């Protein structure tokens, strides 16, 4: 198991390096986030003990289940799944430092209220539905700037950029169009000069399309299966609101 994970990490880091070289980008601009849904704490630890520091869960329940086993191994924890407002307290309890899936004002309001009560702040990314699929969460691209402006009014929420899931497709140019949309929104928001807003992060691209994402400006690529192996369920299962 250890040998497989370390080999896969080496392959992914080579893919990231090669994509950066082809795109004329500095490899230090792109972070590898390990998507650890369904992955045991034992396997996650192998990656964390070999130079990886950034992991993310899709489901609050998995965050809870692995917390004790991972808390003494240095790492940063992001949340990338659809977050229900009644799970906000758990996100904060289990040391999530960034919610990448902020996609609606109600969530921002409830998150802000809880953070105020606990005298905390948290980093967030605005999630955008660039594929225009009903099965995907995220704000409509046409409403992304307005949502960003409203979220920026909450002092506890530190907007660091944008996230998208993109299209699950083998057709590279269709996937690329999703990433181009996110990049364009980033540029448009930067021109607005909204207080309390940074647009340094673009979280986009996964195991199958990370090269395309890097070519289009990704600063965070989310990789799970290419490091830890295939999962029982298809990707769509992990973005189901009802299963959080």
């Amino acid at each position: 198991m250890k040998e497989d994970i370390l080999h896969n990490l080496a392959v992914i880091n080579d893919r990231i390096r090669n994509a950066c070289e082809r795109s004329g980008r500095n490899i230090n601009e792109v972070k590898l986030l390990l998507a650890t849904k369904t992955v045991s704490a034992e396997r996650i630890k192998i990656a964390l003990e070999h130079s990886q520091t950034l992991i993310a869960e899709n489901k609050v329940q998995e965050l809870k289940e692995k917390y004790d086993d991972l808390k003494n191994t240095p790492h940063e924890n992001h949340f990338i799944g659809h977050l229900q407002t009644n799970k906000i307290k758990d996100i904060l309890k289990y040391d999530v430092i960034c919610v990448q899936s902020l996609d609606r004002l109600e969530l921002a309001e409830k998150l802000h209220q809880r953070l105020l009560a606990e005298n905390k702040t948290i980093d967030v990314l605005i999630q955008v539905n660039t594929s225009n699929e009903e099965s995907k969460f995220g704000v409509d691209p046409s409403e992304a700037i307005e949502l960003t402006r409203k979220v920026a009014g909450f002092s506890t929420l530190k907007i660091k950029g944008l996230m998208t899931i993109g299209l699950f497709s083998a057709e590279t140019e269709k996937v690329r169009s999703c990433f181009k949309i996110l990049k364009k929104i980033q540029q448009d928001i930067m021109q607005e000069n909204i207080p309390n807003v940074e647009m340094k992060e673009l979280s986009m691209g996964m195991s199958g399309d990370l090269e395309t994402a890097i070519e289009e400006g990704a600063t965070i690529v989310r990789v799970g299966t290419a490091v830890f192996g295939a999962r029982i369920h298809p990707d769509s299962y992990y973005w189901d609101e009802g299963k959080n």
Side-chain angles (χ1 to χ4, degrees):
M1 178 174 64
K2 178 178 178 180
E3 290 76 12
D4 287 345
I5 291 172
L6 297 184
H7 169 77
N8 293 343
L9 279 170
V11 170
I12 288 295
N13 281 305
D14 281 344
R15 286 175 60 188
I16 292 171
R17 186 178 301 106
N18 292 336
C20 286
E21 288 176 359
R22 288 195 304 271
S23 306
R25 297 185 61 192
N26 187 326
I27 191 169
N28 295 325
E29 296 175 8
V30 181
K31 295 184 281 289
L32 171 59
L33 178 151
L34 298 178
T36 52
K37 55 195 176 190
T38 76
V39 180
S40 68
E42 179 187 11
R43 294 165 70 207
I44 296 168
K45 269 188 181 179
I46 292 170
L48 294 180
E49 290 168 353
H50 291 83
S51 302
Q52 302 306 306
T53 58
L54 185 58
I55 65 174
E57 290 290 348
N58 281 68
K59 294 187 177 296
V60 172
Q61 187 59 37
E62 287 199 55
L63 190 65
K64 291 180 183 180
E65 290 169 354
K66 302 171 195 178
Y67 179 76
D68 285 340
D69 288 332
L70 296 177
K71 66 182 179 182
N72 294 322
T73 305
H75 67 283
E76 293 183 356
N77 210 339
H78 288 205
F79 189 77
I80 55 176
H82 184 71
L83 181 57
Q84 296 171 313
T85 55
N86 65 345
K87 302 294 179 66
I88 286 172
K89 63 183 184 298
D90 293 321
I91 290 293
L92 304 183
K93 180 179 179 181
Y94 296 107
D95 298 338
V96 168
I97 66 164
C98 180
V99 175
Q100 292 201 10
S101 48
L102 184 57
D103 62 353
R104 61 204 188 277
L105 189 59
E106 179 200 16
L107 176 59
E109 290 171 338
K110 295 287 180 62
L111 192 52
H112 172 65
Q113 290 166 7
R114 188 76 190 190
L115 287 161
L116 276 180
E118 297 190 18
N119 194 29
K120 293 178 178 179
T121 64
I122 198 168
D123 291 347
V124 298
L125 305 185
I126 303 297
Q127 181 179 354
V128 184
N129 185 347
T130 56
S131 63
N132 196 32
E133 295 172 279
E134 290 186 8
S135 61
K136 299 276 178 64
F137 296 105
V139 64
D140 186 274
S142 66
E143 300 172 359
I145 295 178
E146 186 60 25
L147 178 61
T148 301
R149 193 185 307 280
K150 289 177 178 176
V151 173
F154 298 116
S155 59
T156 61
L157 305 181
K158 306 302 180 183
I159 301 174
K160 299 298 182 182
L162 306 172
M163 184 269 261
T164 196
I165 297 169
L167 193 67
F168 297 140
S169 173
E171 297 184 53
T172 300
E173 293 313 304
K174 287 186 177 180
V175 177
R176 186 186 303 278
S177 68
C178 295
F179 301 152
K180 283 183 176 293
I181 288 169
L182 202 69
K183 181 67 177 180
K184 176 65 164 55
I185 294 170
Q186 178 199 40
Q187 293 171 331
D188 290 345
I189 292 173
M190 289 171 68
Q191 289 181 350
E192 295 286 321
N193 291 315
I194 305 169
N196 193 34
V197 173
E198 290 184 55
M199 277 288 124
K200 65 179 183 179
E201 304 291 5
L202 284 183
S203 175
M204 58 188 192
M206 295 187 278
S207 296
D209 53 24
L210 67 86
E211 286 88 353
T212 306
I214 289 170
E215 289 166 9
E216 298 303 330
T219 64
I220 300 171
V221 291
R222 308 182 304 271
V223 177
T225 56
V227 170
F228 297 113
R231 304 184 188 95
I232 297 171
H233 300 289
D235 274 333
S236 57
Y237 170 85
Y238 301 97
W239 306 101
D240 187 330
E241 179 179 8
K243 295 190 175 71
N244 263 346

